[in-house]
Every structure is written in C-alpha cells, then in structure tokens.
Amino acid sequence: MRLSNNIMYQNSLDSILSGQEKLVDSQLRVNTQKKVLTAADDPAAMAQANLITKKLELNDQFDKNMSFLRGRLEVEENALKSMNTQIERARELSIQAGNGAYTHTDREGISKELAEIQKSLLDLMNTRSEDGRFIFSGFQDSKATYSYDSASQTYTYNGDQGNHSIQVATSTYIQATDNGADLFEKTKARLNVASNAMTILPGAITAGSVYVKQQAEFDQFHANYYDPLTPANNTFNVVVTAGAPDQYEIRQNGSPLVPAVTGDFTGESIEFVGMEISLQGAAPGQADFTLEPPTNKNILNTLEELISVLENPASTQVQLQETLADSVVELDNAQEAITFTRASIGGRLNAVTRNENANSGEEIVNVATKASLLEADMAEAISELKKNETALQAAQATFGRVSGLTLFDYI
C-alpha cells in the first residue's frame, strides 16, 4: 500500500513538474517572441540564423561605409563646382585684359581680382574632409595639397598619385578621392613654339618672328609633327630663294614637307597651320623655329604668370598677348579636367545609390529569413501557452483529488 501511494505521488508530482516546465517554456517563447531559444531547440536553424546575423552585421558596416563615402564625394563635388566657377571668372578676366584700350592701371585692377581668385582656388585645392584630411593629396592626405615655393615662385604639389577606395559590398570597392597629381598637375599647357624670335641663318634674311594665332589648327599640326624621340625633327626651316618672284619653302629639319609647302615671298606675313611667320630682309636666306615640347601646368601657376605680367608696367604687348593666350587655353584645359572628374564623381555617387538599394533589399530578405527561423508565430505560441496552462491546472486538480483518496473511501 505504501509503495502504491509513493508511486502515485511520484507520478503526479512528475506530471505537475513537467507541466510547469512546459508552461514556463511557453511563457518564455511568448515573452521573447522566439520559437528557438537555444541551439538545442533547433541546431540547424540556430546555425543558419547565426550566419544571417553575420551577414546583417556586415551589411550594416557597408551601409556606414557608403554613408561616409557619399559624404566624402559630395565634399569633393562641391569643391570642384566652386573651382569651376572661379576658373570661369578668371577666364573672363583674361579675355577682358586683352582689350587694347585698357591702360596699365586697368590691367593692374584685373590682376588684383585674379590674385583673389588664385587664393580661393588654393583654399579649394587644399579642401579637407570632415576628419581633417586633405582630399586631393592622395595617400599623403596629412599634408596640404599645394603650397607656395618662394624660391621658385611657383605652387608645388605635395601629395602623391594614390586614390583611397572604400568597400561597399563583398567584392565592390568605390574610389573615394581624386588625387591632385591626376586632377591638377596633368592640365595641359598651351602648345606653342619654343621662341617667338626665329633663329636666323647666314643670308639676306635679317630677322624673323613666329606667333600662334589659330590654336586649334596649330594643335593639330603639333600633334602630327612633334617628334619626342628625335629633337632635331622639331625644328622647321623657312627657306627663301631668289627668283622672279622670290619663293619660300617650309621644311622639317632640312627635308621638304609632304605635300610641299611653298609660296611667293613678298615680304608679307606667311600663314602656316595657324602660325603667322614674319621675315625681314631679302632672298636668299633662312629662318628657323622649333616646336615646344608638350608640358603640363597647374592652374595656380598659370594665374601666377598672368598676374605677374599684368602687374608689371614694363610688360610688352607681345608678352601680354602671349601670356593671355596661354592663360585662356590652360584655364579651358583645367575646366575640362574638373568637368571630367565631376562626371566621374556623379557616376560613383550613382554606384553608391545602386549598392545602397541592393544592400537594403538584401537586408530585408535576410531579416525575413532569420525571422522565419527563430521568431515565433504568436497565435500558435499563445495557443500553446493556453494548452500548457490548462494541462498544468488539470494535473494539479487531479493530484489534489487523488491524494485525498484512502481505502476506506471504497468500504
């Protein structure tokens, strides 16, 4: 009898404890809204959820990277936009300074405004990011991009040719900066002859000068004929021979051009591929000119030369016109480089937007997948809680009634 009572009590107690455990488990699932509480509940689901959690954390970092990248690119875009405005004004002033009716005082006033533009451009080229880095200095972004060298009286670039990139997806990096070496130092200077004064060979020609008047035509000639490997081929000869009438021929390093370039020599200027060639004297004789090598010049130094010529009362009309011609071409080339870079920045900003959208879509899918693995169906969870609560109440009630029974209840 004692054994039977012990078994009865033990079974009832086990039933109550089991019910309580199930009820607590159900309550916990409802409270946390999770259907998988530990790895033991569903090892495969928990493992997969952990992998998704890592993906979500990585995507969150990519989102932060893209936000930082967007800010960096917008800072650069604003700086370049302001530069473009300043360069456009400098170009207008350069053309204005070529007005033949202007006095030195007028040009000196223009030089003052150009000096202010130069200062503004220097500040923009030394633009810093929100963390104090110089955005145009490449990998040397702790150094000011440009500084003035008083010894050479020129502005020098202090950065390198590096460009920072930022990761925005598992295998995607987007360029975050543009270095000044590519953006400013590769601005092409105006193509020209090495000297406006021609070299005079023995003969009756006593002097000569050559000026580029039609830049586009001359640029095409320079591109076709300039020889970086054989410097002698960059010298052109204007050979004048006696006749009725006198004749001239333009040769390259002593050899006739193909087709030959000849004409009557009347003492008037010779027009040749955008150049105006003037010779003094008579036939026979020869005067030579040489093509200048292609060079690059940053916009700060272009303005420095222009300001110097405008401020100098001793500047000749020829010096002024040549410097103004240099400036207009180089300002145009600088604007072209800036416009190209701004287009590139726009493309990169579009790429950031595309990656942000892709990342957002991937995050939605991952969150939903993780929820399906771990989160409880609340209707089902509450139903299970009610069921376990009822079962526990039934077990407790049954135990109370059974524990009150004795053998005498059946006599």
Side-chain angles (χ1 to χ4, degrees):
M1 180 67 180
R2 183 179 299 170
L3 180 59
S4 297
N5 284 340
N6 288 342
I7 292 173
M8 179 182 65
Y9 277 103
Q10 186 61 51
N11 288 341
S12 297
L13 183 60
D14 289 344
S15 178
I16 292 172
L17 293 175
S18 176
Q20 288 177 332
E21 183 178 349
K22 290 179 180 179
L23 181 62
V24 169
D25 185 74
S26 297
Q27 287 175 326
L28 187 57
R29 291 177 196 277
V30 170
N31 291 339
T32 61
Q33 301 182 14
K34 302 290 185 184
K35 68 179 178 182
V36 179
L37 299 174
T38 67
D41 293 338
D42 191 336
M46 184 62 77
Q48 190 174 354
N50 286 338
L51 291 176
I52 292 175
T53 298
K54 291 181 180 179
K55 287 183 180 179
L56 289 170
E57 290 173 351
L58 186 59
N59 284 351
D60 182 60
Q61 184 58 56
F62 289 151
D63 283 337
K64 292 177 182 177
N65 289 357
M66 284 186 278
S67 178
F68 178 81
L69 174 58
R70 182 179 291 279
R72 180 64 62 88
L73 291 175
E74 287 175 349
V75 167
E76 182 178 345
E77 158 64 15
N78 287 333
L80 293 178
K81 182 179 178 180
S82 297
M83 284 184 209
N84 194 59
T85 301
Q86 296 291 342
I87 292 172
E88 182 61 35
R89 178 55 181 164
R91 187 180 187 280
E92 292 173 1
L93 291 171
S94 297
I95 295 173
Q96 183 180 340
N99 189 327
Y102 275 24
T103 65
H104 170 67
T105 302
D106 296 328
R107 294 193 177 99
E108 192 173 25
I110 291 175
S111 74
K112 301 300 182 185
E113 184 174 351
L114 287 171
E116 293 304 313
I117 290 174
Q118 184 187 47
K119 290 177 184 178
S120 178
L121 285 171
L122 177 62
D123 287 340
L124 290 167
M125 292 160 81
N126 284 334
T127 296
R128 296 176 184 244
S129 62
E130 67 282 357
D131 56 354
R133 298 288 179 174
F134 293 93
I135 65 173
F136 296 117
S137 292
F139 294 146
Q140 306 298 317
D141 53 11
S142 61
K143 298 179 181 178
T145 307
Y146 277 93
S147 59
Y148 183 71
D149 183 351
S150 57
S152 63
Q153 295 185 333
T154 59
Y155 289 87
T156 58
Y157 177 63
N158 301 314
D160 58 25
Q161 291 184 292
N163 287 316
H164 293 285
S165 294
I166 294 178
Q167 187 177 12
V168 297
T170 304
S171 58
T172 303
Y173 290 79
I174 295 179
Q175 184 178 319
T177 59
D178 294 275
N179 66 75
D182 292 334
L183 181 53
F184 306 123
E185 290 298 298
K186 292 184 179 179
T187 298
K188 295 185 182 302
R190 173 184 174 232
L191 295 175
N192 204 350
V193 292
S195 173
N196 298 120
M198 301 177 72
T199 301
I200 307 302
L201 276 66
I205 297 296
T206 57
S209 63
V210 56
Y211 292 97
V212 176
K213 297 295 184 179
Q214 301 296 327
Q215 193 67 45
E217 190 178 359
F218 176 78
D219 288 351
Q220 187 61 53
F221 171 77
H222 195 288
N224 292 336
Y225 283 89
Y226 182 78
D227 189 343
L229 301 178
T230 308
N233 288 337
N234 297 318
T235 296
F236 290 79
N237 328 109
V238 183
V239 180
V240 180
T241 56
D246 295 340
Q247 296 286 306
Y248 74 84
E249 181 179 17
I250 298 179
R251 302 172 183 173
Q252 181 180 22
N253 192 22
S255 300
L257 296 174
V258 180
V261 178
T262 61
D264 295 341
F265 178 67
T266 62
E268 299 293 329
S269 296
I270 299 170
E271 304 293 333
F272 173 61
V273 292
M275 290 178 283
E276 183 179 88
I277 302 171
S278 299
L279 301 178
Q280 288 80 48
Q286 178 177 329
D288 295 348
F289 66 88
T290 302
L291 298 182
E292 187 177 45
T295 58
N296 299 325
K297 188 188 298 181
N298 70 59
I299 194 65
L300 297 173
N301 290 331
T302 293
L303 291 175
E304 186 71 10
E305 292 177 5
L306 178 57
I307 292 167
S308 177
V309 169
L310 292 176
E311 288 181 343
N312 186 358
S315 295
T316 65
Q317 187 65 24
V318 170
Q319 288 176 319
L320 176 63
Q321 293 303 322
E322 283 294 290
T323 304
L324 289 174
D326 289 345
S327 299
V328 171
V329 170
E330 289 156 18
L331 288 166
D332 285 343
N333 290 340
Q335 276 192 309
E336 182 179 343
I338 288 174
T339 299
F340 177 82
T341 303
R342 290 180 66 189
S344 173
I345 291 172
R348 280 175 267 164
L349 285 169
N350 288 337
V352 171
T353 299
R354 288 194 297 270
N355 279 277
E356 284 174 337
N357 293 338
N359 204 33
S360 178
E362 184 178 349
E363 183 175 1
I364 291 171
V365 171
N366 285 333
V367 168
T369 303
K370 183 178 178 182
S372 68
L373 291 170
L374 300 182
E375 293 183 9
D377 181 332
M378 291 307 294
E380 182 180 344
I382 292 172
S383 178
E384 184 69 16
L385 174 62
K386 291 294 185 181
K387 184 179 74 173
N388 289 330
E389 185 179 18
T390 301
L392 178 59
Q393 290 172 347
Q396 291 172 335
T398 301
F399 177 71
R401 296 189 61 182
V402 171
S403 62
L405 295 176
T406 67
L407 185 59
F408 295 103
D409 293 326
Y410 296 95
I411 300 177

